[in-house]
């Protein structure tokens, strides 16, 4: 194993880490994926299960991943190599690197749509009030245009490469520091506007009043997948980010803060989307286009709505960028640490390969009939990638990380790494039980259930 430490880096401070980790966690997962998945799965009951998964599985797995990275100061593959002699576990790290790549190859497509929306907003498309039908026409014009969809995907990957090649602390920390608080302000204003729309309250009760008759096996699976996806877990992003964690900083507090912040942003996005959706008479199970179609219907009813639209889509694009950076970073850190590549070379080559793999997903929303109904499955290629990498692969990764920390490396060693700066963690006994028993059993139960019922998507 060749260790190229010179091309590694470290966050300049605990705040730097929190910003970067929150930057990875907060992204399209919160604002695009959470609302539409909640809408497809009946709302309140699904949201409740999601919150339970964040608390019982998300936070322990997050701490477990950070503890591994902080201990080894390596990428996911190198981390497992450093902590065991077994040949099996580094493959789990390898699955993480592959998953990061798989996620990036569809995430960049949706992130590209946000760039088109910045353009639309700047050119005044959302200046007046528009109906849900008009909004939906704007959306499908963008996503079904093959040249445009490929161009936008490529542009987004290019932006990602340009930040990642500059290294972790310089590139990532600075981008996030100013813009994250701004995103929160815009979201809060939009939430106020949305809940005060006529008929908006029905949206809030859809989001928060649980109706368990609407919960399906697939819903439970996607709630788990979404909890992992949203917190960037199950594929080593947090192992990688933990590897840059300052030695003297408080890890448990930082991890929990990131988890709460990420969840708050997702719920806030729900509070914006659902009232607006009920007010505009759009169906909640509209699928992946939901956020893009619903939001433009409320900008027109805000004073200076067009400025809001510009700010919102620009910030959404940046939130997506701080997530794509972490996805590419996992892959780059592996090639830098273990293969001795330079950061520059790894960023360009991996980014370019990912672009090639993203093209089918870019064409999957009407541009190509083949990819829009992939092999006659009734699912478009982007949705298939989203489920495969963004739900299944993360779920498998998360269970393996729990088994590794709980039973192979050992909870005491993980706690030693978590508390290595002298900041002690509350609830150690609970963490032990969760990571050894509750998390693996719950994840396994969900997986078995899915296999038995065959409700994969
Ligand atoms: N958490 C990111 C989001 O919510 C997506 C992501 C998943 C990033 C996995 C890194 C790893 O947008």
């Amino acid at each position: 194993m060749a260790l190229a430490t010179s091309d590694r880096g470290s966050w300049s401070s605990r705040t730097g880490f929190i910003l970067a980790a929150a930057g990875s966690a907060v992204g399209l997962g919160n604002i695009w994926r959470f609302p539409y998945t909640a809408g497809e799965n009946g709302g309140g009951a699904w949201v409740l299960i999601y919150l339970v998964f964040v608390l019982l599985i998300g936070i322990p797995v997050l701490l477990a991943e950070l503890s591994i990275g902080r201990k080894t100061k390596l990428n996911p593959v190198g981390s497992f190599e450093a902590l065991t002699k077994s040949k099996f576990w580094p493959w789990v790290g390898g699955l993480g690197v592959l998953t990061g790549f798989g996620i990036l190859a569809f995430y960049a497509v949706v992130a590209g749509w946000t760039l088109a929306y910045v353009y639309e907003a700047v050119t005044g498309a959302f200046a007046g009030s528009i109906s849900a039908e008009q909004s939906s026409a704007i959306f499908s014009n963008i996503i079904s245009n093959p040249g445009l969809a490929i161009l936008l995907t490529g542009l987004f990957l290019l932006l990602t490469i340009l930040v990642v090649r500059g290294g972790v602390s310089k590139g990532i920390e600075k981008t996030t520091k100013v813009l994250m608080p701004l995103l929160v302000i815009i979201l809060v204003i939009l939430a106020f506007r949305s809940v005060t729309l006529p008929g908006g309250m029905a949206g809030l009760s859809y989001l928060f009043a649980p109706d368990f008759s609407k919960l399906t096996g697939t819903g439970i699976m996607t709630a788990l997948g979404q909890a992992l996806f949203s917190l960037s877990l199950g594929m080593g992003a947090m192992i990688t980010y933990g590897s840059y964690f300052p030695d003297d900083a408080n890890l448990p507090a930082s991890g929990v803060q990131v988890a709460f912040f990420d969840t708050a942003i997702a719920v806030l996005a729900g509070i914006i989307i659902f009232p607006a959706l009920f007010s505009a008479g759009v169906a909640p199970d509209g699928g992946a286009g939901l956020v893009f179609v619903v939001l433009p219907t409320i900008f027109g009813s805000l004073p200076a709505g067009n400025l809001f639209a510009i700010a919102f889509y620009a910030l959404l694009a940046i939130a997506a960028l701080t997530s794509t950076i972490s996805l590419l970073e996992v892959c780059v850190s592996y090639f830098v640490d273990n293969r001795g590549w330079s950061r520059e070379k790894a960023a360009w080559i991996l980014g370019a390969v990912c672009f090639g793999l993203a093209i089918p997903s870019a064409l999957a929303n009407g541009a190509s009939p083949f990819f829009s109904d992939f092999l006659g499955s009734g699912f478009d290629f982007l949705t298939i990638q989203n489920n495969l990498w963004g739900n299944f692969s993360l779920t498998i990764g998360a269970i393996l990380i729990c088994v590794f920390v709980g039973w192979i490396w050992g909870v005491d060693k993980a706690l030693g790494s978590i508390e290595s700066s002298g900041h002690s963690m509350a609830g150690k006994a609970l963490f032990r039980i969760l990571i050894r028993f509750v998390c693996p059993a719950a994840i396994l139960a969900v997986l078995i259930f899915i296999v038995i019922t065959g409700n994969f998507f």
Side-chain angles (χ1 to χ4, degrees), residues 121-403:
V122 168
T123 53
F126 313 126
S129 67
I130 59 171
S131 67
E133 289 72 33
Q134 287 166 317
S135 177
S136 158
I138 296 177
F139 182 60
S140 47
N141 277 341
I142 294 170
I143 61 170
S144 63
N145 179 332
L148 184 61
I150 293 175
L151 180 78
L152 293 168
T153 306
L155 205 59
F156 210 91
L157 284 169
L158 185 66
L159 291 172
T160 310
I161 294 167
L162 291 177
V163 181
V164 169
R165 67 186 266 279
V168 280
S169 67
K170 259 187 291 164
I172 306 175
E173 263 187 70
K174 281 200 190 132
T175 327
T176 326
K177 212 166 213 148
V178 197
L179 297 161
M180 198 71 99
L182 216 59
L183 176 66
V184 176
I185 294 172
I186 301 269
L187 289 177
V188 170
I189 295 172
L190 288 176
F192 270 111
R193 170 69 279 207
S194 189
V195 292
T196 51
L197 287 168
M201 282 303 147
L204 281 190
S205 69
Y206 183 83
L207 184 63
F208 291 121
D211 172 359
F212 283 96
S213 68
K214 294 204 180 122
L215 197 63
T216 61
T218 321
I220 295 172
M221 172 75 208
T222 53
L224 176 59
Q226 175 60 19
L228 298 170
F229 186 91
S230 193
L231 293 170
S232 307
L233 297 176
M235 44 71 73
M238 290 300 166
I239 296 182
T240 309
Y241 273 27
S243 75
Y244 308 122
F245 198 76
D247 288 332
D248 54 354
N250 185 342
L251 186 143
S254 311
V256 170
Q257 280 169 24
V258 168
F260 276 100
F261 183 68
D262 181 72
T263 308
I265 300 282
V267 171
L268 200 54
I271 296 176
I272 298 170
I273 301 295
F274 287 100
L277 173 151
F278 275 78
S279 178
V282 177
D285 57 353
L290 192 64
V291 177
F292 290 94
V293 172
V294 170
L295 274 179
T297 64
I298 61 173
F299 291 123
S301 67
L302 277 165
N306 204 41
L307 286 182
F308 267 101
I310 297 172
F312 174 79
Y313 288 113
L315 289 166
L316 182 57
I318 290 161
L321 183 63
T322 52
S323 300
T324 54
I325 288 166
S326 71
L327 290 162
L328 186 60
E329 178 63 24
V330 172
C331 311
V332 165
S333 72
Y334 165 69
F335 281 87
V336 169
D337 292 344
N338 279 41
R339 301 277 164 140
W341 288 19
S342 73
R343 174 168 275 280
E344 178 88 29
K345 172 178 162 189
W348 282 108
I349 293 187
L350 296 170
V353 174
C354 192
F355 176 55
L357 296 176
I359 290 175
S361 290
L363 299 178
N365 282 277
S368 141
F370 178 72
F371 290 117
S372 303
D373 177 8
F374 190 59
L375 300 176
S377 61
F379 291 102
D380 67 82
F381 195 75
L382 193 153
T383 302
I384 294 173
Q385 297 297 300
N386 188 355
N387 277 301
L388 184 65
W389 303 110
N391 287 333
F392 285 104
S393 199
L394 294 183
T395 307
I396 308 272
I399 197 171
L400 290 167
I401 287 165
C402 291
V403 170

